[in-house]
Each structure stands twice: as structure tokens, then as C-alpha cells.
Amino acid sequence: PLNYAKPDRNISLAMSRLTPPQPTSANNTLFVLTGGPGGSGWGILAVIAELIPATSGLTIILPDHRGTGWSSALGCDD
């Protein structure tokens, strides 16, 4: 919810997931957070693809912070 005191309003957070072509049984996942606020996971997708090869076996999650990218817009109630 947007506000836990008023759980009638929800927001959505977008995340990109890069899965390796051949996942390993270890099923390791790395969350990569941009230096927010205001950073979108999409903004560093190309950099991550260069830094961490697909053959590493890692599943990589790139979230969009609230109010950026494909996540719900940031606003304030009156």
C-alpha cells in the first residue's frame, strides 16, 4: 500500500529480471540498486550486461525506484 494507515490505495514497483541462459542449481540472485532517488533500473541495464556476463549463472533484478521508470508516479496526498 501507498500508506499502511490507509491500505485502500496501492502502488506498483517495476522490476527487470535478467535470467541466465542456463541457470545453476544454486539459484543465486543479485539485486542491483541504482543510486537514487530518481534512478531507474533500466538506466543501468547495458552497464550490468557488460559487467556481469550471462554465463555467471546469476539472476539479476533491476528495480525502478518509486516514481521512476515504470513504477507508480510519486505524489503526495493533501
Side-chain angles (χ1 to χ4, degrees):
L2 178 63
N3 180 345
Y4 283 97
K6 301 175 191 174
D8 59 326
R9 208 165 137 210
N10 293 315
I11 62 171
S12 63
L13 295 176
M15 296 189 187
S16 302
R17 180 176 64 192
L18 304 173
T19 55
Q22 297 175 343
T24 64
S25 61
N27 195 24
N28 293 319
T29 302
L30 174 67
F31 278 78
V32 180
L33 303 176
T34 59
S40 167
W42 284 99
I44 61 168
L45 185 61
V47 173
I48 292 300
E50 285 186 34
L51 291 175
I52 303 172
T55 56
S56 68
L58 286 172
T59 297
I60 301 170
I61 308 291
L62 300 158
D64 286 343
H65 294 285
R66 189 174 110 181
T68 65
W70 292 99
S71 290
S72 292
L74 182 60
C76 296
D77 293 336
D78 291 338

